[in-house]
Structures are given as C-alpha cells and as structure tokens.
Amino acid sequence: MKRIQNFINGRFVDGTGELFENRFPATGEVHSLVSAAGEQDVDAAVSAAKKALKGPWARLSVQERITLLRRVADGINARFDEFLRAEIMDTGKPASIASHIDIPRGAANFNVFADQIASVATEAFEMATPDGAGALNYAIRMPRGVIGVVCPWNLPLLLMTWKVAPALACGNTVVVKPSEETPATATLLGEVMNDAGIPEGVYNVVHGFGGGSTGEFLSSHPDVDAITFTGETTTGEAIMAAAARGVRPVSLELGGKNPGIVFDDADIDITIEGLGRSCFANTGQVCLGTERLYVQRGIFDQVAEKLAARARTYAFGDPFDQSTTMGPLISEEHRRKVLAYYEKAKAGGAEILAGGGVPSIQGYEGGSWVEPTVWTGLPEDSPVVRDEIFGPCTHITPFDDEEEAIQLANNSPYGLATSIWTTNLSRGHRVAGRIDAGITWVNCWFLRDLRTPFGGSKRSGIGREGGVHSLEFYTELRNVCVKL
Ligand SMILES: NC(=O)c1ccc[n+]([C@@H]2O[C@H](COP(=O)([O-])OP(=O)(O)OC[C@H]3O[C@@H](n4cnc5c(N)ncnc54)[C@H](O)[C@@H]3O)[C@@H](O)[C@H]2O)c1
Ligand SMILES: O=C/C=C/C=C(\O)C(=O)O
C-alpha cells in the first residue's frame, strides 16, 4: 500500500501521528495511507522554514527566485500525468476537469507570480523640510517570514499553489497543510521543489486533520508569521482566532452561497452553457458555483426547463475516461451532507425539475455519487436556499424586476461570487455594482484573469488574492525616510 509522507526540510518523513486512509471517491477503495504529522513534526517544519529564511534562500535576488519559480512550473508540467493521476485518485474528479483546470493552473500559478514579482513597484515621496534641504521617503517590500498555508480539498493543487507561488515569489517560506482528503499533489510537489533547486526548508508539507490536529498545530504555532486559509467559513473563524494570538495577519477565502441572476433579455444559449458549468462543474464542489438562481418571470419556465435538461446530460463513470463529465463527491461524509439537503428539499415541498437522488453506476457502486439536481418552489428562508451545500444542485426562483433581483441576491450572509445574464449591458454594469460580492461575472462564469482581486465579502472572507493583491499580503511594506 502506497504511503504518503510529510515533507520537512527537503526530506520525506513519517510523522508521529497516526496513519490514516486515503480513498478514491469514485469507488470508496483505500488507495494509500497517509502519515499524519504530530505537534512536534509541525514544530520541525516551522523551524525548518524559519531557518531557511536565514539561509541561501534569503540571499537570492528577485531574478534568481523568478528563475526557480519558473523551474517549478516546468517541473509540474514535465510530470503532468503523475500530478493528474494523483489529483484524480484523491478527488475522483474527471480527467476532463483536472487536465484542463487543476493541473495547468497548478503550474501556471508559479509563472503568474514570477511575472508579478518582476514588475511590482513600491513608492517614494520627496518632502520639504524646514532647513530647505528636504528628505526622501521610499518603501521597501519585505517578506513576512514563515507562512502557514491551510488548504481545502476541492481544487487541491490549484488552490495550494495559488498561495505558495506568491509566498515564495516574495521571499517567504511555507508550511502547507493540505486537506486530509487530498494529500497527494502537495506531497508530489516536494519532489519538484527539490529537483528545481528550491533550498531545503523553503517548502514544507505536513499532513493531518484540522481542529485539535495538524491544522490547528500549524495555525497556532508562534513562529508562523502569517496564515493563508481557504475553506469553510466556520473554519476561517477558528483560524482567525488562532492568528489573533501573536497578532498574525490572515488571508481568508471562505464559503459562499452564490446567486445567479437571469434577466428576460439574456441570450439563452450562452446563459444555459454558463449556468450548466456554474451549477454542476466539479460536482458542484466549487466555492464560486451557483446554488441559487433568480430568473425573470417571462423566461422562467424556459430557463428552468433547459437547465434541468442540461443537468441530465452529465456522464458519470470512470474519472480517468475523458468522456466522463461528472465525478463523485469527495467523500461519503460529504455525500451524507449533500443528500441531507436533497431530503430537506423534498420535505420542504420542493418541485424537483432534475435529479434529487443517487445514480446507479455499474462498477462504481462504492463511490460517493449524487445526481445533478434542480429544484424550485422553496421559500427563500429554506436551509436549501440559505446554506452552502457544496454539491451539484441549484434552486430556481422567479423575480419580476431589477430591484427585486438585487434584493434577493444580496439577502445572504455570504458575498463571494455572482453571475448576471443580460444583453442589456447598461443593466449588467449597473446591477454588478450593487451586488455585495467579491467577484461578479456578466454573461460568463469562472473567466479568470489572475491579475484581478479575488476574494469574498461578508462571511465569504477577508483579503484579496491575485496579481499585486497577493504580493500585498505576502510582503510587508516598510518606509525609509532619508534626510538630504
Ligand atoms: N473562497 C474560496 O476561494 C474557496 C475556494 C475553495 C473552497 N472554499 C470553501 O472551502 C469549503 C470546502 O473545503 P473544505 O471542506 O476542505 O473546508 P474545511 O474548512 O473543512 O477544511 C479546509 C482545511 O482546513 C483544515 N482545518 C479544519 N479545521 C481546522 C482548524 N480548526 N484549524 C486549522 N485547520 C483546520 C482542514 O484540515 C483542511 O485542510 C467550502 O466551504 C468552500 O466554499 C472556498
Ligand atoms: O472553489 C473555489 C475556486 C477558487 C478558484 C480560484 O481561487 C482561482 O481561480 O484562482
């Protein structure tokens, strides 16, 4: 049985924690065992990262760091099939997704921030002084130090490197805690880091669970200088509390209950294509996905019917088969959560337009499969419409006018993402400016320019990642004032 180890100070080591099972979600079969890190292993990883801040890594120029980051990107691409297999075995997601999104973006993130750090500016101010000689102020950008990186299971390599790449570009060192569900690609990246010549201790990986385990050991460690987290809102609260001790900055990318708004002048084909992805892609396990949809009354029936038909087109099966378009959920535990909402919808009297249950897939009976589902008819205060489900499901509600649509969309404690579908672009711009969300797409979804600010409002997070915004988090600006 394959064993997945921790990666500390450039070496793969067993942790002092227990071995835990790693399952292939498509069948439920155990495919590897993972060595959990104990508190002393996390301490060893943080110490290695702290020591590396004073070693060769600290003496590299920005250009030398850029060269190493590009080598890491090349290293991932050179081992593309290994990363692809590892990600699919951990998540069960179809190769059609992982080969086009997860692995390419996992490599691209290193090039994006190599570009970004090459051109980032700071600032300088000349000032008058009473003696007339003046003074010059200039800012210098310093790495924060050891960054704790705590990651989720839905886009494991993509979301981990979305943090590690800018952190390293800025001269920090990192200790990564991948989700217990998806340990493999973060571990494989350790080999790539060594091969690329990243000094030992710069990139470390510790495996285990969250509260009372590895995640908490890391976020509470006094020598971690900043914490970047992506995951559930409640976990974000716990990590923010841990970071408060020692006054450490946090970047929190949290949960959402994202609305879509379809006006009656929308291009139906473009809209259904976009909503088909935003509602069901990655088996609905995307933080930016649409779980509540508001459709103007005049086209409500048409959109509901077409979206329900789209939900029925997904092909379940072998995640390694390129013709498979929908995989399982990440685990039996998560499937129980999603199916509980399927039952709540039924109990609440929802009209089920598509799905609502579990598909029968020959040869994959042990997998965590659910049907893509479309409901209507529930009240806005239903848990199905309020809570983040994180599955391939959406509830559709009709609205009459723009004001009502905005009010419905904003009526949520979350504020992560929205999509607006209309051919009236004045309305598209106008409504986008009134939605309380970090990211709003108009006539598109998940179109990503990696230089843009990415993050949530309200309970969907704190801070922004992407482009220069990542560099603002992973560095500290210091001002120097020189009397002339
Ligand atoms: N905003 C975004 O960009 C974004 C992106 C992806 C996923 N998410 C969110 O992530 C969630 C799904 O991911 P998940 O189930 O892995 O989230 P999760 O919060 O359960 O776990 C995320 C990570 O935090 C760790 N963790 C859990 N409790 C902890 C604690 N008390 N202290 C330290 N670490 C702890 C886990 O082990 C895991 O590595 C969804 O809510 C989704 O919306 C948000
Ligand atoms: O599930 C959440 C997806 C997040 C995606 C990104 O952070 C990104 O595209 O950079």
Side-chain angles (χ1 to χ4, degrees):
M1 175 74 68
K2 182 175 185 308
R3 178 176 294 206
I4 295 178
Q5 294 182 296
N6 303 278
F7 182 70
I8 298 175
N9 206 32
R11 281 178 289 282
F12 291 97
V13 295
D14 281 336
T16 54
E18 82 274 21
L19 280 177
F20 60 93
E21 293 177 339
N22 189 23
R23 294 179 183 271
F24 179 37
T27 61
E29 291 163 326
V30 178
H31 65 86
S32 56
L33 294 174
V34 187
S35 172
E39 195 155 8
Q40 61 264 49
D41 305 307
V42 172
D43 186 54
V46 173
S47 301
K50 189 172 181 180
K51 184 180 172 198
L53 286 171
K54 306 291 185 196
W57 180 245
R59 294 188 286 278
L60 293 182
S61 66
V62 170
Q63 192 50 53
E64 288 168 323
R65 285 206 303 269
I66 286 170
T67 300
L68 289 177
L69 289 181
R70 295 203 191 287
R71 269 199 216 137
V72 172
D74 293 344
I76 294 171
N77 285 323
R79 302 179 66 172
F80 189 96
D81 291 344
E82 286 179 77
F83 276 93
L84 181 64
R85 177 170 183 78
E87 202 76 301
I88 295 171
M89 288 305 294
D90 271 4
T91 62
K93 70 172 67 190
S96 54
I97 294 178
S99 60
H100 288 85
I101 296 179
D102 297 74
I103 310 308
R105 269 289 308 279
N109 287 340
F110 285 96
N111 284 320
V112 162
F113 290 105
D115 295 340
Q116 202 69 48
I117 197 71
S119 59
V120 67
T122 57
E123 57 192 39
F125 296 96
E126 292 179 290
M127 65 181 288
T129 53
D131 65 5
L136 171 66
N137 290 273
Y138 62 92
I140 50 179
R141 198 177 281 283
M142 304 297 288
R144 287 196 183 278
V146 175
I147 310 293
V149 181
V150 182
C151 307
W153 46 255
N154 62 319
L155 300 166
L157 184 67
L158 185 158
L159 288 171
M160 182 267 290
T161 59
W162 183 236
K163 299 167 180 299
V164 167
L168 299 192
C170 295
N172 300 285
T173 58
V174 298
V175 179
V176 174
K177 211 298 282 177
S179 171
E180 53 277 24
E181 303 288 356
T182 53
T185 45
T187 308
L188 186 55
L189 185 59
E191 294 181 23
V192 170
M193 290 285 181
N194 279 348
D195 294 346
I198 298 282
E200 63 188 28
V202 172
Y203 174 82
N204 303 276
V205 179
V206 288
H207 294 299
F209 300 83
S213 180
T214 318
E216 185 172 341
F217 300 155
L218 180 60
S219 57
S220 305
H221 195 292
D223 289 338
V224 169
D225 298 304
I227 301 162
T228 178
F229 169 72
T230 296
E232 289 187 5
T233 294
T234 52
T235 309
E237 289 173 339
I239 287 179
M240 191 169 183
R245 290 188 296 276
V247 193
R248 278 88 54 78
V250 290
S251 167
L252 301 178
E253 301 289 349
L254 305 179
K257 186 66 174 184
N258 308 309
I261 305 174
V262 184
F263 288 98
D264 57 15
D265 58 13
D267 178 309
I268 291 296
D269 292 339
I270 290 174
T271 302
I272 295 301
E273 190 284 326
L275 292 177
R277 289 184 295 113
S278 73
C279 295
F280 309 122
N282 203 41
T283 318
Q285 298 167 129
V286 181
C287 61
L288 304 161
T290 304
E291 290 197 354
R292 50 193 183 106
L293 188 57
Y294 302 104
V295 180
Q296 200 155 22
R297 204 172 295 279
I299 59 166
F300 179 83
D301 292 341
Q302 186 184 7
V303 169
E305 182 186 326
K306 284 180 176 288
L307 188 62
R310 175 59 67 95
R312 288 188 281 267
T313 63
Y314 278 89
F316 304 105
D318 178 0
F320 289 93
D321 183 333
Q322 282 287 346
S323 66
T324 298
T325 54
M326 180 162 286
L329 295 169
I330 188 71
S331 68
E332 268 311 289
E333 179 188 358
H334 187 54
R335 181 166 79 154
R336 282 192 293 274
K337 170 190 170 183
V338 172
L339 289 179
Y341 280 99
Y342 282 27
E343 289 310 310
K344 283 175 186 168
K346 281 178 194 163
E351 182 184 351
I352 303 172
L353 304 179
V358 173
S360 170
I361 308 166
Q362 192 174 359
Y364 295 90
E365 291 77 4
S368 304
W369 306 88
V370 295
E371 292 176 329
T373 297
V374 180
W375 302 289
T376 190
L378 290 174
E380 282 299 288
D381 63 356
S382 160
V384 171
V385 182
R386 307 248 47 82
D387 301 349
E388 176 182 62
I389 300 171
F390 219 53
C393 50
T394 195
H395 181 269
I396 305 186
T397 301
F399 70 88
D400 291 308
D401 58 39
E402 191 173 300
E403 279 309 310
E404 183 188 7
I406 293 167
Q407 186 276 325
L408 287 165
N410 285 336
N411 179 26
S412 170
Y414 294 108
L416 185 55
T418 304
S419 60
I420 299 168
W421 308 86
T422 175
T423 53
N424 177 339
L425 289 192
S426 296
R427 172 151 65 191
H429 286 288
R430 183 171 64 244
V431 173
R434 294 186 59 196
I435 300 295
D436 302 333
I439 306 140
T440 294
W441 281 287
V442 180
N443 296 327
C444 57
W445 180 75
F446 205 63
L447 204 49
R448 291 279 293 117
D449 180 326
L450 303 183
R451 297 166 298 178
T452 57
F454 180 99
S457 308
K458 300 192 279 186
R459 287 171 58 78
S460 291
I462 293 177
R464 292 295 180 264
E465 296 181 326
V468 71
H469 311 285
S470 296
L471 308 190
E472 291 303 335
F473 178 72
Y474 292 110
T475 58
E476 187 174 71
L477 278 178
R478 297 177 186 168
N479 188 67
V480 178
C481 178
V482 181
K483 184 73 181 60
L484 302 177

